[in-house]
Amino acid sequence: MIQFENVTYSYSEKANNSLKNINLNIKKGEFIVLTGKSGCGKTTVTRIINGLSTKFFDGNLTGKVIINNEDLSKIPLWKVGQTVGSIFQDPRSQFFASITEDEIAFGCENYGFDKSTIHNRVDDSIQKIDGENLREKLLYPMSSGEKQKIAIASVYAVNPKIYVFDEPSANLDMYSVIKLKELMLFLKNSGHTIVVAEHRLYYLTDLADRFIYMDDGEIIREYTPAQIKSLDKDKVNSLGLRLTNLECPIPQDKICISNREPSIEIQSLRFSYGKTSIFSDLTIKAYPGDIIAIIGHNGVGKSTLSQILCGLMKEQSGCILYNGHKVRKNNRKKLAYFVMQNTDCQLFAQSVKEELMLNNSSNMSESQIEVTLKRYGLWEYRDKHPVCLSGGEKQRLTLAVGDMLNPNILILDEPTSGLDGENMRRISSHLKNLSKEKKTIFVITHDYEFAVSTCNRAIQLANGRCHMDFLINGNSSKLLSCMLEANLDAL
């Protein structure tokens, strides 16, 4: 179904090769997972399969690519889309409509399906993603996870022979990952060929036929599911991978909270979008040194809470206290720094280094800037434009900017989205160091591995309130249960 023969690829004539002499054969109906450290080339492989590498990014490709027995270079891009369906890491980049049903129908309409077929496929696709609650909804106010679901449904409606997923679980809560897994299993059993570029491997170990490990643009080796599951912790770390089994013990550092006077109090918070209530009576206390995992289903209000805490949005009633003093919306911006999930909204300069200089309110020296960039593995990219960075690199850059601003309150929205194991552990270590400096840190996350190894508390939001607030240390199974709200056997 897919064949690479001595494929080398670069995004421009001046750039280094992103892929080097790739030889790969994928049979009809195979389920393949591409994995490895950030920047290893797995996303580029998916862009070659779906035709975007040469027909959209205008890169330089040598070698031969065969898709469904046809030379890819001779297939027009519109026709590739009938054979290869793509789900991107950032689903907004593939939306054309503004409402759920219109977006799901869009591909079918373009390929000339009749009206009754389109209606049936839209209904079936919504059912497959467990998306009945998303009917007739506007796409752009949706959470990232909900947008990802719509992107999957829009491809499913066209029914291509090959599915290419790029980090499909990055923005999904764990319950939605189970639903994603069920959909992938259905596609596999239906005979589709599936290629997944992914860092999170735990939900794929009993789906995939092969795991292909890449590094620096090359295929290093292949693993069977049994081999990938048997990797010990040291090997997983050395490869820069994530856990392959969530039931494996994860080391937990005890975080000591010495000052019991709260740094932040949220009192009886209420907020709604129109007639849709988000918070009805939300009350939370956080202390200096706390690293709190904010958990809950997609769309429950986690990002909205963050924007209220840092002064980007105003509550409708209730109040926010910092160190015992009520603080109005505009003044919160001076006290808290918010790392958004959509990092493009926070990057403004012409280079990585200039981005830090732009935000250098504490007048850090050149050497301190160098240390900060090296801490996040970004020093080698110091002269690159931020728009050229990968999603994980942009995420780390916004965190580096946060270090420059040195706030007492740090709010992170899905900070490990798109991060490999190595960089996830790097961020975890740094947040624990900030905790020792008595910073208060909120982490919105669906990432159990990150939460259990980094945070000392978890707050579960549900029905407009704080549904649960508990210490994580010694309660990892409770955290996993709350994040799944489903049987672990489903994974």
Side-chain angles (χ1 to χ4, degrees):
M1 185 58 75
I2 302 169
Q3 186 175 359
F4 283 47
E5 296 179 3
N6 300 317
V7 172
T8 295
Y9 179 84
S10 64
Y11 282 96
S12 71
E13 291 183 6
K14 296 180 180 179
N16 295 327
N17 289 332
S18 298
L19 295 180
K20 306 166 188 173
N21 197 37
I22 298 292
N23 288 282
L24 177 65
N25 288 300
I26 300 175
K27 298 176 183 178
K28 180 180 179 181
E30 262 199 299
F31 193 124
I32 302 298
V33 177
L34 305 170
T35 193
K37 297 179 182 179
S38 293
C40 68
K42 57 187 183 300
T43 294
T44 302
V45 171
T46 67
R47 289 173 177 170
I48 289 176
I49 294 171
N50 62 26
L52 293 179
S53 61
T54 54
K55 296 177 173 68
F56 182 80
F57 291 98
D58 198 27
N60 303 297
L61 186 149
T62 61
K64 186 178 249 185
V65 182
I66 306 295
I67 302 294
N68 195 26
N69 297 317
E70 292 188 72
D71 187 334
L72 182 63
S73 64
K74 299 177 182 178
I75 311 175
L77 188 57
W78 67 267
K79 191 174 180 181
V80 176
Q82 289 181 309
T83 303
V84 183
S86 299
I87 295 93
F88 304 143
Q89 183 176 349
D90 181 1
R92 295 169 306 157
S93 61
Q94 64 188 102
F95 287 162
F96 291 89
S98 58
I99 295 174
T100 294
E101 287 85 348
D102 292 347
E103 180 60 34
I104 297 173
F106 185 82
C108 299
E109 291 170 343
N110 275 271
Y111 287 122
F113 297 175
D114 64 75
K115 186 175 180 179
S116 62
T117 299
I118 293 174
H119 277 294
N120 290 337
R121 291 200 179 191
V122 168
D123 288 343
D124 189 34
S125 298
I126 290 174
Q127 181 182 0
K128 284 294 183 296
I129 63 164
D130 192 28
E132 289 296 330
N133 62 317
L134 301 178
R135 284 185 178 274
E136 300 181 9
K137 295 287 182 68
L138 290 170
L139 297 180
Y140 288 94
M142 289 182 182
S143 70
S144 295
E146 290 166 337
K147 291 172 184 172
Q148 184 71 287
K149 287 182 178 182
I150 300 303
I152 293 170
S154 66
V155 172
Y156 178 78
V158 176
N159 193 32
K161 293 181 180 179
I162 300 170
Y163 282 77
V164 174
F165 293 86
D166 188 9
E167 299 281 355
S169 73
N171 300 313
L172 298 182
D173 60 48
M174 294 185 74
Y175 180 76
S176 297
V177 171
I178 294 175
K179 292 298 179 183
L180 171 65
K181 179 183 176 180
E182 291 172 353
L183 175 57
M184 286 179 165
L185 179 60
F186 171 79
L187 294 174
K188 180 179 180 179
N189 291 339
S190 300
H192 295 282
T193 304
I194 302 171
V195 179
V196 184
E198 183 65 285
H199 291 305
R200 295 176 184 173
L201 304 178
Y202 66 86
Y203 72 99
L204 297 170
T205 53
D206 56 354
L207 280 178
D209 298 301
R210 287 185 285 158
F211 289 83
I212 296 175
Y213 179 79
M214 299 183 65
D215 189 27
D216 195 25
E218 298 181 273
I219 293 177
I220 303 303
R221 69 163 296 176
E222 294 184 6
Y223 294 93
T224 66
Q227 288 171 331
I228 204 81
K229 285 192 284 189
S230 67
L231 295 176
D232 61 31
K233 176 190 166 188
D234 290 339
K235 187 63 174 178
V236 167
N237 289 349
S238 69
L239 293 173
L241 298 179
R242 297 293 205 99
L243 284 180
T244 60
N245 183 355
L246 293 187
E247 294 182 294
C248 291
I250 300 175
Q252 294 174 262
D253 295 334
K254 187 172 179 60
I255 296 175
C256 297
I257 310 299
S258 56
N259 186 349
R260 298 312 296 173
E261 291 299 318
S263 52
I264 301 179
E265 291 183 72
I266 302 168
Q267 297 181 347
S268 302
L269 190 71
R270 294 178 183 271
F271 184 85
S272 62
Y273 291 107
K275 295 181 180 180
T276 304
S277 175
I278 305 299
F279 302 123
S280 56
D281 185 18
L282 182 63
T283 298
I284 294 172
K285 290 184 180 181
Y287 300 89
D290 261 334
I291 308 178
I292 301 175
I294 305 295
I295 62 175
H297 283 323
N298 290 120
V300 78
K302 301 183 296 294
S303 295
T304 300
L305 174 61
S306 298
Q307 293 181 63
I308 291 173
L309 287 177
C310 70
L312 292 178
M313 298 178 70
K314 190 179 188 309
E315 65 279 8
Q316 288 161 344
S317 67
C319 62
I320 310 292
L321 278 68
Y322 284 80
N323 295 322
H325 301 286
K326 185 175 179 180
V327 180
R328 296 183 180 277
K329 171 180 172 287
N330 289 338
N331 290 330
R332 293 174 206 158
K333 298 172 186 176
K334 304 172 186 177
L335 301 171
Y337 179 69
F338 179 32
V339 179
M340 300 179 183
Q341 188 171 354
N342 179 15
T343 52
D344 290 331
C345 296
Q346 291 181 268
L347 300 175
F348 306 100
Q350 299 296 309
S351 73
V352 167
K353 187 176 179 182
E354 287 179 24
E355 192 69 46
L356 264 67
M357 299 296 292
L358 180 69
N359 292 278
N360 191 10
S361 60
S362 56
N363 296 315
M364 293 174 72
S365 66
E366 287 273 339
S367 61
Q368 289 173 308
I369 290 174
E370 180 178 346
V371 168
T372 300
L373 288 176
K374 285 182 176 178
R375 178 186 300 136
Y376 288 98
L378 295 171
W379 179 245
E380 63 182 296
Y381 307 120
R382 60 190 177 277
D383 296 322
K384 288 186 71 172
H385 197 293
V387 77
C388 298
L389 301 177
S390 70
E393 288 160 354
K394 290 176 184 177
Q395 192 78 273
R396 278 142 51 202
L397 178 55
T398 55
L399 287 167
V401 170
D403 284 5
M404 302 293 287
L405 297 173
N406 194 31
N408 286 323
I409 311 297
L410 185 61
I411 306 164
L412 311 176
D413 193 352
E414 295 291 352
T416 59
S417 174
L419 290 190
D420 58 24
E422 181 178 69
N423 284 303
M424 180 207 72
R425 288 182 278 274
R426 173 182 278 155
I427 299 301
S428 174
S429 176
H430 183 54
L431 292 186
K432 285 183 276 192
N433 286 334
L434 292 178
S435 168
K436 294 175 183 176
E437 298 174 13
K438 302 306 177 186
K439 309 288 187 184
T440 303
I441 303 167
F442 292 92
V443 182
I444 298 170
T445 187
H446 300 307
D447 189 341
Y448 167 76
E449 182 182 356
F450 179 72
V452 78
S453 62
T454 308
C455 304
N456 66 302
R457 281 173 65 192
I459 290 176
Q460 184 184 34
L461 301 182
N463 301 317
R465 300 168 183 260
C466 174
H467 181 64
M468 284 191 185
D469 183 348
F470 59 91
L471 296 176
I472 292 176
N473 199 287
N475 280 313
S476 58
S477 59
K478 182 176 182 178
L479 175 66
L480 183 58
S481 176
C482 288
M483 296 181 82
L484 279 173
E485 293 193 351
N487 195 312
L488 182 61
D489 292 339
L491 287 173

